[in-house]
Amino acid sequence: MKKLFITDLDHTFLQSTQTVSQFSQDIWNEKSHYAMLSIATARSFAKTNDFLKDLHLNFPLITLDGAMVATREKKLIDLNVLSKEIGDAIIEESKKFNIFPYVIALKDSQSLAETFDVPTQLNHYQERLIKESYSFDKRLSYLEEIRGVKDTFKLVYMGEERLLRPLAEHLLKIFGNKIEIKLAPENYMKCYFLTILHPLSDKAHALGKVHEYLKVDAKETTVFGDGLNDIGMFKLAGKAIAVNNALQEVKDVADIVLKESNDEDAVAKYLQQNI
């Protein structure tokens, strides 16, 4: 049985330019003949496939922080979404903090097409993200009144920690275990992301679904990451590896901390030496 290797993308496998280096691409495609290689990312299914179009991805992809597990051929393996009603309720509560989220939802379960609703009331960080990464994204819909959507993958807020932490605490008090709340720093943007998901939308739960689908034991799995949303996956896998630029909280629970960063092809170099 081939071993399973799963890596986070941003700040882990992707370079800081949000690209895959030629070296990493070549090593990945070479080693994909000898091991099961895949990814676990907060990015959407569509965006992930755009970024990794030249990589051999023959095994299930964990996307949207774990909300969706699907193959590149769009076979849906696991899906956890929020209802329109709870999305509306969350947005109403966040209005009290004068901040509005992006709403990313499933449009069609066959094509795995997504919707990406954006409020017209954008703050500086949201405007910058849209301009730099999504300005030509065909999924975008600008709405004067942002609302909940059926089959919502996640609601995403961006801003300074001093604003988002009180909002996260408020939403936890109101909704409790009906939602999953992730508050984490975002190094590209130098701000924080507050992501609201279904309570089973996490990388650890999704990794368990991948294990079931592939009939692979967790002890045969190696995972790579850098951020707080990787910690659950680290605790489940047989071997957890942090890149050198990972947050200290992630390094603290890793089995191995690599000497290289994401910009130094850390994951690819490990794969090169260990497969």
Side-chain angles (χ1 to χ4, degrees), residues 181-242:
I181 297 175
K182 298 183 186 297
L183 178 66
E186 174 33 59
N187 290 331
Y188 289 143
M189 305 294 297
K190 303 303 180 186
C191 68
Y192 270 68
F193 276 151
L194 172 61
T195 307
I196 313 299
L197 308 109
H198 185 279
L200 294 181
S201 293
D202 63 87
K203 290 184 180 181
H205 174 84
L207 180 57
K209 292 297 181 180
V210 172
H211 288 155
E212 291 176 15
Y213 181 79
L214 296 176
K215 296 181 173 57
V216 172
D217 195 286
K219 68 182 180 182
E220 298 299 320
T221 301
T222 298
V223 297
F224 303 86
D226 75 285
L228 299 179
N229 65 345
D230 297 316
I231 289 177
M233 187 169 65
F234 272 34
K235 293 179 178 179
L236 179 61
K239 185 176 292 182
I241 301 177

Side-chain angles (χ1 to χ4, degrees), residues 19-111:
T19 59
V20 179
S21 75
Q22 189 63 52
F23 175 81
S24 286
Q25 177 183 307
D26 291 344
I27 294 298
W28 181 283
N29 289 341
E30 175 192 344
K31 298 303 182 181
S32 68
H33 298 293
Y34 307 103
M36 295 182 284
L37 307 183
S38 194
I39 57 90
T41 180
R43 291 186 179 272
S44 71
F45 183 82
K47 204 70 175 175
T48 297
N49 277 289
D50 286 345
F51 272 112
L52 306 180
K53 63 183 184 299
D54 296 320
L55 265 62
H56 297 168
L57 291 170
N58 304 317
F59 299 95
L61 314 178
I62 296 171
T63 59
L64 295 149
D65 284 300
M68 178 191 286
V69 180
T71 68
R72 177 168 259 180
E73 294 75 28
K74 300 181 180 179
K75 178 181 179 180
L76 191 59
I77 296 168
D78 191 45
L79 180 70
N80 293 288
V81 292
L82 296 170
S83 67
K84 181 184 187 307
E85 291 72 24
I86 198 166
D88 280 336
I90 292 166
I91 292 168
E92 283 300 312
E93 293 299 326
S94 66
K95 284 181 180 179
K96 300 173 183 178
F97 293 76
N98 196 33
I99 188 168
F100 302 88
Y102 304 136
V103 180
I104 302 172
L106 180 66
K107 183 178 182 180
D108 177 68
S109 60
Q110 297 299 313
S111 66

